[in-house]
């Protein structure tokens, strides 16, 4: 796990974005990243991971035929 550079984040949030201290500390890391213009969210599902999931959780015949 990498260390968080709090002074740099505080400068970016309070000086760069003009946030008040209480506004800065109320944000989640994802919200702060979004406000700073950094890409956020979950990485897209790649084919290799999809194949793993399909092997781990195969569809049953009844699901393909529409039966429950």
């Amino acid at each position: 796990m990498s260390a968080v550079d709090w002074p740099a984040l505080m400068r970016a949030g309070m000086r760069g974005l003009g946030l008040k201290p209480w506004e800065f500390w109320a944000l989640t890391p994802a919200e702060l990243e979004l406000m700073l213009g950094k890409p956020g969210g979950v990485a897209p599902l790649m084919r290799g991971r999809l194949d793993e999931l399909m092997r781990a959780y195969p569809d049953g015949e009844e699901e393909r035929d529409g039966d429950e």
Side-chain angles (χ1 to χ4, degrees):
M1 184 171 167
S2 62
V4 176
D5 186 355
W6 288 110
L9 288 176
M10 291 169 63
R11 278 192 300 278
M14 291 184 230
R15 288 187 187 163
L17 298 174
L19 298 171
K20 294 175 178 55
W22 64 268
E23 292 171 323
F24 173 83
W25 291 111
L27 293 172
T28 66
E31 291 169 331
L32 183 58
E33 282 187 349
L34 180 66
M35 293 176 76
L36 292 172
K38 295 183 179 180
V42 177
L45 180 66
M46 303 305 284
R47 184 63 202 205
R49 181 64 178 138
L50 177 59
D51 290 340
E52 288 176 26
L53 290 170
M54 290 171 63
R55 281 190 300 276
Y57 305 100
D59 291 336
E61 286 297 321
E62 66 280 353
E63 292 182 55
R64 286 189 213 133
D65 295 337
D67 297 333
E68 293 191 57

